[in-house]
Structures are given as C-alpha cells and as structure tokens.
Amino acid sequence: MLAVEIEHLNVYIRHAHILKNVTLRIPKNTVFVIMGPSGSGKTTLLKVINRLIDFTEGVRVEGVVRVLDIDALKADPYELRKRIGMVFQTPNPFPHLTIYENVAIAAKLNGVARSKRELDEIVRWALEKAMLWDEVKHRLHAYPHQLSGGQRQRLCLARALAMKPEILLLDEPTANIDPINARKLEEAIVSLKDEVTVVMVTHSPHQAARVADYIAVLYDGRVVEQGPAQQLFLRPSTEITQKLLRGEM
Amino acid sequence: MRLSKKDKLFLLSLLPLATSVLALLILIIFAILLRSLQAINKFGLELLVSSVWSPEQEIYGVLAPLIGSLATSVIATLTALILSIPLAIAASEYLKGFIKNVFSSLIELAGGMPTIIYAVWASEYLVPFLKTYVMEPLHRLLPFIPLFSCKPITGFSIFAAGVAIGISVVPYVTALILESYNSIPAMYKEACYGIGAYRHEAVSILLSLSRPAIVASLLLGFARALGETTIAVTTVGSSMYLSSCLFAPGYTVAALIATQFANANLYMYAESVLYTAALIVTVIATILSFYGSVIMVRWRSRIVV
Ligand SMILES: Nc1ncnc2c1ncn2[C@@H]1O[C@H](COP(=O)(O)OP(=O)(O)OP(=O)(O)O)[C@@H](O)[C@H]1O
Ligand SMILES: [Mg+2]
C-alpha cells in the first residue's frame, strides 16, 4: 500500500528547474526520510505533496502525484490538505493564539472534536505525542512567544497531529531542538507509524539511521537513490549518498 | 536587532530630522495653546459645558462641536471599518492580475482626490440617499433609541457627516490595513493552509492575527476624521444645538473654525475660543495617532520572529 506515489515529477519556478523527473514511492505507515544538501529541493517536494506549492508564484508542476489514492494535482487542494499535516522548517505557531488555541484550531478546522471535552482531550493527546505536555500543562493559556524555539517547533508538531492526519510532512523538525528533546521527538515519530505515514526531511544521518524505514536522497532536484534505510547505509550505490550518510555533505 | 556602524551613522543622521518634526508638532501645539490662553482664562470650564456661539454678546461654549467632532469621527471610523476590511481582503486575496491592479489604483486615486469633491458629492447625493434609505427607516423602526429618536428633516446631520467623512478616509484606512495584511510573513499563511483551512478560514485567521494592526489603522483613521473640514462643513448642518439624536444637524470643531474664523477677529474672544477648541481636538488626534503608531510597531515586531 502506497501513501504517496510520484512519477516523473518536474517542478519549475519561473525559469528555474527545481525538481527534475522525480519518481518516489512512499509506503503507508512507514517513516520515509528525505535527505539532501541545502537547496536540493526537499522542501519543494514536501510542498508538492500537500499542494502548498500552489502558493509559490510562477510555479509549474508536471507529472503524476498520487496521494492517498487520489490524483493530488487534480484534486481539490483544500480537501487534500485536510488529510496531511505539516511541520515547517521554521517554527510558525500563530502568535495571536495561546498554546491551547494553537493546537485546538487545527482540530476545529477539521471537525475532529465534537465537544469541548473531546477538544481538551485531543489537545492534551497531541501535546503529549509531541513531547511538550509536561512543559506547558500549567500554562496552556500562555502565548507561544514565551516558548523556546524547540518548544515552538513541538507546538507545531502538536498542531499538525491535532488534525488527525493520515500523512505527516516534517521539514527538519528537530533543527532547533536540543539532542535530548530531539531524541524524544524521534521516539514520538516512530510511535506514530501505526497511525500515520511520516515523510521527514533531515540533515542528520544519525537521526535518519534511528528513525528511517526508507531513505531517498535528493541532489540538485534529482532523486539519486532511494530504498530501504539499511540498504542505503550498508551499500550506498552513489558517492553522494555515501558522503551524505557519513555527514560529509 | 544588531546595528552595524553604518546603520548607526545613518540613524544618527536622521535624528535631526526626526527631532525637528517632533519639535514642530510640539511648537504647533504650544502656539495654539498660547492663543487659547485668553479664552481659557476668561471662560474656564464654562467653554466646555455649554453650546453657544454668540460673539456679539461674547458668550461662547463649544460642547456641541466637540461632541460633534467625536461623534462624526466615531461614525466615520465605523464606516471605514465596514468598508475597508472587505476592500483590503478583496485586493489582497480574491482579485488577480489586471483587475487587482485596476482595483488598487482606484483606491489610491480615491485617496488622492481633493476632499472638496467628496464634500460636493456628499451634499448633493449621499445626504439625500442616507436620509431616504438609512435615517428615515432607522427612525421609523427604532424611534425609542435616543440616537435615532428624531425625524431627519433635511438629512444634513452628525450621522450624514460621519458617513461622508468615513467614506473619505476609507482609502487611507484600506491602505493601512492592506499594508499590514500583506506584511504578515508567508509562514503564517502556510500554517493556515497547512492545517487544512479553506480560503475564508485562512483569511479569518490572518485577520484576527492582524487585529492590533487593524485597530491601529482605525485609530489613525479616527485622528484623520477628527480633522476633516470641508466635508464636515457641507454635510453636518451647522447647528450649535446639542442633541442626542444623530439625525439632527450639528457642528464639528473643524467646521466651526472653517466657518467662523474669518470674522472671528472682529470680536474680543472669538478667535481665542476657536483656538481652544482646536487645541483639544489636536491633542486628542495627536495622542490617538501616536498610540496607533505604537500599536502598529509593536505588532510588527511581534509577528516577525
Ligand atoms: N519561491 C521560490 N522562488 C524561487 N526559487 C525558489 C523558491 N522556493 C525555492 N526555490 C529554489 O528551489 C530550490 C530548492 O529549494 P528548497 O527550499 O526546496 O530546498 P531545500 O532542499 O529544502 O533546502 P534547505 O535544506 O536549505 O531547506 C532552491 O534552489 C531554491 O532557491
Ligand atoms: Mg528546506
């Protein structure tokens, strides 16, 4: 069963060719890690999956993208996005909403909770899953600017989880988090596998080794290699993968 | 924020300009204050609690114009609120390409038009329209509310002046709201759509995100409405009679000054009384503008992390 199936995807932004003939298969209920140097197109690829790419000016997307068995490029992007959560590279909690509201709004927009009690439960569940609950349970009504960068990022993860998505897109979710909390988050990500398919961008080979079931390597807009994580670590078939997995790139 | 040496020099070079603008403002207020002293010493609080304009007998009271200025500005601000948010949202979210450009240029054009054009248009067309389609129905439906308790006779009234002034500040307020709405970092827009918001839901989240900026824009609009003169003169009805009803003719300070200033020097205190009224309005407008700007700046620094 595939969560995402991409064939011959080409993305152009104005005259720049950003993603080049990308073909990817992301199986359901796995952690799929995308690696690649800065500027290789990782974020762009994630944004194609949930059609956030639509908001980029001058963009042209060609190819086939099947997400959860629907044709993502032809589907109603708003309906599609309701099934996909995303955590962005830079933490972006809503500054005018409290911690509680930031999580609750995602549940509300997607009709996940039917009562105030259910909403409270979902908010708590999401914050616990994102390893943030213990740090904020006594100040749910504080505003996110009082949180650290790492806490903000986990708040964004909680917000994405509160949608009860089927796919979770994580763009370097641990970039601003200390190693201990990053570890916790990794555990959380792995434990989510039963419920969602996780597509995650990371720069850290160690992190990839700990969480990835599959790895795809992007280089200059192309997929240079993809496959089961172990296989890539043991027998990388390209020099780029080798360097990347050794942390030399 | 860390500033380089060049930045610091640049800021330093702006300092004389900035301080001289501030100094000019203080100087203006001080000059008005000096001119007001005569009337303040002579009449004291009496000026603020009565409504008379009778220079022949040297009896004055500017309560009605003061209330009129505030009331028309409140109505103007509400009018601007109702019209500006949809205009700003249309311009930034729903219109595309050529139409969007035409639309934005029209708003800019409307903002650059001399107020005399609004004034004539309002007294010829807007006032009769408001009388027939807004004031009379409101009076018929809700006569027990004091604000609507009088039958509009000519239509020229606090209400009409407020709406007319409001329409004239719409381009200004729209531009301010639009600017702040467009300055919201893209990451919040992505956050909205990323959690599955439909377009109108995203717009409403982003609007509530920019609420402080909208409040600030309205405060600046209020300050501008307080000073609006030409439109007030042609629509407010020029009556010193203080009424609780919005449909009765009234006065605003700006209109009082515009109509009475030319002859004021024939009398002992008239000119000084006008300065006193101007002082009060100027101080209120300055404080509101300042407060509005502070809110705006604080908001900007809050949303950019
Ligand atoms: N809005 C845009 N307009 C023009 N070019 C863009 C835009 N967004 C991305 N690009 C270009 O697309 C390429 C891929 O960008 P992308 O953000 O996907 O890289 P990335 O792999 O996520 O990099 P990083 O690891 O630094 O986040 C880059 O060369 C970038 O300059
Ligand atoms: Mg990126």
Side-chain angles (χ1 to χ4, degrees):
Chain A
M1 287 286 272
L2 295 178
V4 180
E5 192 178 2
I6 296 173
E7 274 169 49
H8 307 297
L9 172 71
N10 284 287
V11 174
Y12 306 82
I13 300 178
R14 289 194 195 86
H15 296 293
H17 197 172
I18 308 292
L19 290 178
K20 299 163 185 166
N21 203 23
V22 167
T23 296
L24 272 185
R25 291 199 165 65
I26 304 179
K28 269 193 182 146
N29 299 97
T30 56
V31 176
F32 192 100
V33 164
I34 299 170
M35 297 188 70
S38 183
S40 56
K42 306 181 296 292
T43 301
T44 309
L45 181 59
L46 291 188
K47 285 186 180 173
V48 169
I49 296 175
N50 70 351
R51 291 276 303 271
L52 267 189
I53 194 78
D54 292 18
F55 295 101
T56 306
E57 230 161 285
V59 72
R60 201 167 88 240
V61 181
E62 289 167 1
V64 180
V65 180
R66 297 190 66 78
V67 177
L68 300 166
D69 296 320
I70 56 175
D71 184 343
L73 298 184
K74 297 214 177 74
D76 174 1
Y78 298 97
E79 293 295 333
L80 177 72
R81 289 187 204 114
K82 288 192 176 299
R83 305 172 68 183
I84 307 175
M86 180 159 184
V87 175
F88 298 83
Q89 212 162 346
T90 328
N92 58 356
F94 295 115
H96 67 301
L97 299 182
T98 62
I99 293 169
Y100 178 93
E101 290 164 344
N102 259 288
V103 183
I105 193 170
K108 278 191 212 155
L109 286 181
N110 297 286
V112 173
R114 280 182 303 270
S115 66
K116 169 81 174 115
R117 255 202 57 204
E118 260 185 52
L119 190 63
D120 287 349
E121 273 165 22
I122 286 172
V123 169
R124 177 175 182 155
W125 169 84
L127 285 168
E128 278 174 350
K129 275 283 178 196
M131 305 281 170
L132 187 59
W133 175 253
D134 288 334
E135 287 153 73
V136 300
K137 62 183 171 198
H138 297 304
R139 47 176 177 152
L140 288 176
H141 299 288
Y143 287 85
H145 68 93
Q146 300 178 6
L147 299 176
S148 73
Q151 289 172 327
R152 275 183 221 162
Q153 192 62 301
R154 278 175 284 158
L155 178 58
C156 293
L157 176 61
R159 181 176 66 185
L161 289 173
M163 300 166 61
K164 295 278 179 148
E166 291 158 68
I167 297 178
L168 197 55
L169 308 175
L170 307 175
D171 201 348
E172 293 184 47
T174 58
N176 295 306
I177 306 184
D178 64 90
I180 296 169
N181 279 309
R183 279 297 185 87
K184 285 193 197 166
L185 207 75
E186 289 169 13
E187 282 168 33
I189 290 166
V190 173
S191 78
L192 283 167
K193 260 198 295 192
D194 299 333
E195 296 152 72
V196 297
T197 306
V198 179
V199 185
M200 175 168 138
V201 170
T202 180
H203 275 296
S204 154
H206 300 290
Q207 186 167 58
R210 286 190 295 262
V211 302
D213 297 309
Y214 295 88
I215 297 179
V217 176
L218 268 183
Y219 186 78
D220 190 26
R222 275 177 224 284
V223 177
V224 291
E225 192 166 354
Q226 63 173 310
Q230 281 173 331
Q231 180 189 320
L232 262 76
F233 273 102
L234 293 175
R235 291 184 302 280
S237 63
T238 66
E239 203 181 326
I240 294 169
T241 310
Q242 223 168 43
K243 279 188 172 173
L244 212 59
L245 294 183
R246 275 204 235 115
E248 289 166 7
M249 195 181 215
Chain B
M1 190 170 52
R2 299 226 16 194
L3 296 174
S4 72
K5 204 166 179 184
K6 260 190 186 164
D7 289 333
K8 279 183 190 154
L9 270 178
F10 179 67
L11 280 182
L12 212 62
S13 72
L14 286 179
L15 210 59
L17 194 71
T19 45
S20 55
V21 169
L22 193 67
L24 193 67
L25 186 68
I26 293 173
L27 212 65
I28 290 173
I29 292 182
F30 194 67
I32 302 177
L33 176 66
L34 276 184
R35 297 289 208 110
S36 324
L37 281 179
Q38 193 194 8
I40 295 173
N41 288 333
K42 168 80 176 161
F43 304 107
L45 266 186
E46 188 66 22
L47 268 185
L48 300 184
V49 295
S50 62
S51 307
V52 221
W53 185 261
S54 153
E56 296 83 0
Q57 286 123 29
E58 300 285 353
I59 310 177
Y60 307 96
V62 293
L63 180 64
L66 274 179
I67 303 262
S69 281
L70 296 175
T72 49
S73 299
V74 167
I75 295 169
T77 308
L78 291 175
T79 308
L81 171 70
I82 292 168
L83 296 176
S84 296
I85 293 181
L87 285 175
I89 295 309
S92 70
E93 287 281 348
Y94 291 99
L95 299 178
K96 292 259 151 3
F98 179 69
I99 300 180
K100 176 177 176 164
N101 290 339
V102 171
F103 189 78
S104 310
S105 318
L106 279 179
I107 294 178
E108 266 170 40
L109 194 73
M113 239 163 24
T115 47
I116 184 71
I117 296 183
Y118 287 97
V120 172
W121 167 76
S123 69
E124 286 288 314
Y125 300 102
L126 181 68
V127 174
F129 175 86
L130 288 175
K131 176 174 181 272
T132 321
Y133 296 106
V134 183
M135 299 192 236
E136 279 168 357
L138 274 177
H139 170 62
R140 246 180 281 125
L141 283 173
L142 307 161
F144 44 86
I145 297 179
L147 293 178
F148 308 145
S149 59
C150 60
K151 194 170 178 349
I153 310 292
T154 59
F156 291 90
S157 57
I158 296 287
F159 180 81
V163 174
I165 295 172
I167 290 174
S168 81
V169 298
V170 160
Y172 176 62
V173 175
T174 304
L176 287 172
I177 294 178
L178 198 55
E179 198 189 316
S180 18
Y181 190 84
N182 288 339
S183 72
I184 298 174
M187 63 179 187
Y188 296 122
K189 193 172 169 178
E190 291 180 334
C192 293
Y193 292 112
I195 54 173
Y198 289 107
R199 184 152 224 154
H200 66 274
E201 291 167 336
V203 167
S204 106
I205 295 174
L206 295 176
L207 273 180
S208 74
L209 171 63
S210 39
R211 188 178 301 150
I214 293 173
V215 170
S217 307
L218 291 172
L219 283 178
L220 294 171
F222 189 97
R224 183 169 272 214
L226 269 181
E228 180 47 56
T229 309
T230 325
I231 301 171
V233 169
T234 60
T235 54
V236 79
S238 304
S239 156
M240 283 299 281
Y241 182 72
L242 184 66
S243 165
S244 68
C245 174
L246 295 177
F247 304 151
Y251 237 132
T252 73
V253 169
L256 183 71
I257 295 172
T259 53
Q260 302 300 327
F261 199 76
N263 297 327
N265 59 359
L266 301 177
Y267 308 98
M268 189 74 182
Y269 293 104
E271 208 176 79
S272 185
V273 170
L274 291 180
Y275 273 112
T276 310
L279 179 70
I280 296 168
V281 171
T282 311
V283 168
I284 295 175
T286 310
I287 292 174
L288 290 181
S289 303
F290 180 73
Y291 190 51
S293 309
V294 169
I295 295 177
M296 199 69 116
V297 169
R298 279 225 311 253
W299 177 76
R300 278 184 205 285
S301 67
R302 173 72 78 84
I303 59 166
V304 189
V305 259

